[in-house]
Amino acid sequence: MKAPIVLDDAIRKVPDFPKPGILFYDITGILVQPRAFRYCIDQMVKLYRKERVDAIAAIESRGFIFAAPFAERMGIPLILIRKKGKLPGKTYACKYALEYGEAEIEVHQADVKAGERILVMDDLIATGGTLAAARNVLEQGGATVAGFFGVVGLPFLNYAKSLGDLPVKTLIEYYGE
Ligand code: AMP
């Protein structure tokens, strides 16, 4: 019998990356273990198969990796939310604050259908700022956000405050070092 998957074992913790004081949770350790990667997609499908999710929107770039097999398994559209300047068509855009400076994300207007319930995901949720900006661009198109998903959640960075009233689901949470 195969040993059960322990997701924590597959997530590398890299201190002081990309800058001093940050503990980086590296999901590439999941991707090189097919059983761990499949476990993540299976769990995602279990979490959402009974909910009305019309499409999944994923954040560039690590969010794409988990969202693509999920979309295929669920038989729903995959919407890419990208950094400014990467999408060729007409977009909805939102600027948001980073720890230092600001960033901007975009989504193709043609990909967002008014009235759809869209799940938004990324590999990791820290402050929730990126997912809140994603919600903004989807709502500009008249869609509703069904909830947020992160493979990893860092609740001590207060994402609940940014994401407020909507459900947030994760596969594993860390509470600091
Ligand atoms: P936030 O907008 O603060 O929720 O940040 C989420 C984005 O930043 C995600 O795309 C993550 O991949 C990345 N990120 C933020 N903090 C970390 C961390 N400690 N380890 C790995 N990725 C992180």
Side-chain angles (χ1 to χ4, degrees):
M1 211 175 87
K2 285 186 177 156
I5 298 295
V6 179
L7 209 48
D8 178 50
D9 291 346
I11 297 171
R12 298 185 191 113
K13 288 87 184 171
V14 186
D16 297 319
F17 184 86
K19 54 187 174 215
I22 304 282
L23 180 61
F24 191 84
Y25 295 89
D26 176 23
I27 56 82
T28 62
I30 297 175
L31 305 177
V32 293
Q33 295 184 48
R35 285 184 65 227
F37 187 36
R38 188 178 314 118
Y39 168 86
C40 290
I41 308 307
D42 287 346
Q43 294 303 310
M44 290 167 67
V45 170
K46 268 189 202 160
L47 284 174
Y48 293 105
R49 72 180 161 204
K50 292 198 176 127
E51 285 188 31
R52 181 186 153 200
V53 175
D54 300 320
I56 177 139
I59 310 288
E60 182 174 4
S61 58
R62 291 184 294 269
F64 294 174
I65 298 167
F66 293 90
F70 175 78
E72 195 277 335
R73 289 263 292 271
M74 296 280 284
I76 57 175
L78 168 61
I79 300 171
L80 302 188
I81 297 186
R82 302 207 60 184
K83 289 163 190 151
K84 187 181 167 58
K86 304 269 188 154
L87 290 170
K90 239 178 139 190
T91 62
Y92 301 116
C94 180
K95 285 191 181 140
Y96 63 103
L98 294 174
E99 202 175 345
Y100 298 101
E102 64 175 25
E104 190 167 358
I105 52 167
E106 293 182 300
V107 68
H108 270 144
Q109 291 187 10
D111 295 346
V112 183
K113 308 276 186 291
E116 277 194 342
R117 279 174 58 79
I118 301 177
L119 178 68
V120 189
M121 72 154 300
D122 203 349
D123 68 320
L124 178 143
I125 314 176
T127 66
T130 311
L131 291 181
R135 176 183 184 174
N136 177 297
V137 294
L138 295 169
E139 288 180 348
Q140 286 181 49
T144 301
V145 170
F148 299 102
F149 175 81
V151 178
V152 180
L154 306 181
F156 66 97
L157 293 177
N158 261 334
Y159 57 69
K161 199 171 148 213
S162 318
L163 304 177
D165 48 330
L166 291 174
V168 182
K169 295 181 186 178
T170 60
L171 298 187
I172 188 166
E173 294 184 341
Y174 292 100
Y175 294 88
E177 285 175 76

